Amino acid sequence: MFKRIAFLLLLAGGVSRADAATGDTIVAVWKHNTRGAFTMSFDDSMETHVSVAMPAIIQRGLVGTWFINPGLARHRKHSKVWGIDGPKNGQEYANHTWEHKGAKDYQEADYQIGASARYIWALRGPDASKLLAFASGGGTTWTISDLEREEIKSRYHSITRSSELSARTDLGIDGDKLIAKARESIDEGRWVAIHFHGIGGEWLSIDSEGFIRLLDYLRDNKDKIWSAGWSAAHQYAKERDHARIDLLERSDARIRIRLTTGLSPELYAEPLTLITQVPAGWSVVAVKQNGQSKPFHARNGALQYEVVPDRGEIELQPDR
Ligand SMILES: [Zn+2]
């Protein structure tokens, strides 16, 4: 625990543990105070995503970012998996356009991007962010200007996806190389994003044994790597970098904090992990915000918890 806090304070430029006073609060660099974030994208609503990748990811408590094409027959064929199983298990969906075919004019481009965004928004809860990771689709042609495309993308709250590695066996990528990439997120304390097409079949595919080895590694290292959706990791980093913490009250009975970012609450809704120094006697602590209360456990005078910024005052009280 001490090592983790020391590492965190070093990165956050905060005060050292010995100088910490009740109410002192920092934002963890990554969610759950992990050391790095790792995003796996899956493009094209593929059959092997439904049959192999998503079940294996859900089974291990991980998160994939699924760049779906809801207008394609192969997507509609698995409407239960895409429409119910994925959202229910915390999977993130991203805009890969309605049918993966580009657009010949402005109106068609608006439909290809807009219909896909509306499909995904309808599957998210009312309090969820509207920010969607976006990739226009390899091999597609868009006969509209770049300016027009950017205008449409921004109307549907798109953030452009980037990727450090295309996980394909034909490019020499195997389980060892995938795990090495995940390890980079720990060693370098940063967000690493890679993308997949087929898993053990279909196009641009990776061998499924190597893929499963990566998932096992991520499952076994959950305390060090945050398996993050693309939009979620983007939101976290931006909220963290804009976070301002005001200590409103500190006593042995109560701590009150304000956490603000100045970002749009409609787009930035990812919980941040905060670590607050609390009185030594506190064990179970009720974290209250916006009329809701959740219990968290303090350890060695430090309370680690999750709250969404810009949603009102945060109040911490020992749960006696
Ligand atoms: Zn694609």
Side-chain angles (χ1 to χ4, degrees):
M1 185 65 188
F2 176 76
K3 246 177 106 177
R4 277 169 65 196
I5 287 174
F7 174 80
L8 176 75
L9 291 174
L10 188 73
L11 286 177
V15 291
S16 74
R17 181 69 184 86
D19 302 328
T22 293
D24 284 357
T25 301
I26 55 168
V27 181
V29 176
W30 295 111
K31 199 169 193 178
H32 307 308
N33 201 14
T34 48
R35 282 158 60 179
F38 190 75
T39 295
M40 298 177 281
S41 292
F42 299 85
D43 292 13
D44 305 349
S45 292
M46 294 172 76
E47 294 281 351
T48 53
H49 297 170
V50 171
S51 60
V52 182
M54 196 189 281
I57 281 179
I58 289 174
Q59 190 186 36
R60 290 165 179 77
L62 303 170
V63 172
T65 302
W66 310 87
F67 281 75
I68 52 176
N69 305 114
L72 294 181
R74 66 170 178 268
H75 182 96
R76 289 199 302 269
K77 193 174 138 195
H78 299 290
S79 58
K80 182 186 166 287
V81 171
W82 295 119
I84 297 171
D85 299 348
K88 194 178 73 189
N89 288 286
Q91 300 303 302
E92 182 177 308
Y93 290 159
N95 197 339
H96 202 40
T97 78
W98 190 245
E99 293 161 304
H100 207 293
K101 65 175 196 186
K104 59 186 180 310
D105 56 31
Y106 184 92
Q107 197 187 353
E108 189 176 26
D110 184 77
Y111 182 75
Q112 285 295 324
I113 296 172
S116 180
R118 285 186 290 271
Y119 173 95
I120 298 168
W121 287 337
L123 296 173
R124 291 189 177 181
D127 297 329
S129 165
K130 287 206 150 37
L131 212 51
L132 302 174
F134 177 87
S136 60
T140 57
T141 305
W142 298 73
T143 45
I144 57 172
S145 72
D146 288 352
L147 202 67
E148 287 172 320
R149 183 145 54 135
E150 287 311 309
E151 188 253 312
I152 295 168
K153 278 171 60 183
S154 116
R155 183 176 324 135
Y156 297 105
H157 304 308
S158 314
I159 38 173
T160 303
R161 186 268 303 271
S162 58
S163 170
E164 296 185 21
L165 183 147
S166 177
R168 288 163 54 177
T169 301
D170 67 342
L171 297 178
I173 303 302
D174 58 11
D176 288 346
K177 292 207 165 89
L178 292 175
I179 289 170
K181 206 69 204 157
R183 200 173 278 134
E184 267 181 41
S185 74
I186 302 178
D187 295 344
E188 297 168 18
R190 66 183 182 95
W191 177 22
V192 173
I194 67 171
H195 75 286
F196 296 85
H197 284 89
I199 307 296
E202 297 182 283
W203 54 97
L204 311 178
S205 65
I206 183 96
D207 158 68
S208 51
E209 181 264 330
F211 172 69
I212 295 296
R213 279 181 55 217
L214 169 68
L215 299 190
D216 286 344
Y217 178 82
L218 293 171
R219 176 199 58 203
D220 296 342
N221 287 278
K222 270 186 198 161
D223 59 330
K224 299 188 195 77
I225 303 182
W226 174 30
S227 170
W230 216 98
S231 175
H234 165 90
Q235 288 174 58
Y236 191 101
K238 195 152 173 180
E239 290 169 22
R240 176 200 64 206
D241 293 346
H242 285 75
R244 180 196 153 122
I245 296 166
D246 293 303
L247 181 58
L248 306 176
E249 179 185 342
R250 63 169 126 198
S251 72
D252 280 346
R254 185 163 80 155
I255 296 168
R256 287 191 304 125
I257 291 160
R258 188 188 295 126
L259 172 64
T260 50
T261 64
L263 300 168
S264 157
E266 190 194 23
L267 302 183
Y268 289 87
E270 185 65 23
L272 288 179
T273 298
L274 300 189
I275 300 170
T276 297
Q277 301 305 315
V278 298
W282 292 19
S283 142
V284 179
V285 179
V287 177
K288 296 176 196 167
Q289 187 190 37
N290 220 346
Q292 309 255 12
S293 177
K294 273 189 219 160
F296 290 87
H297 287 264
R299 283 183 189 86
N300 305 321
L303 182 73
Q304 180 180 315
Y305 56 103
E306 269 81 47
V307 278
V308 182
D310 306 295
R311 302 297 193 277
E313 246 179 65
I314 299 152
E315 187 179 298
L316 313 180
Q317 273 189 307
D319 205 353
R320 296 189 216 283

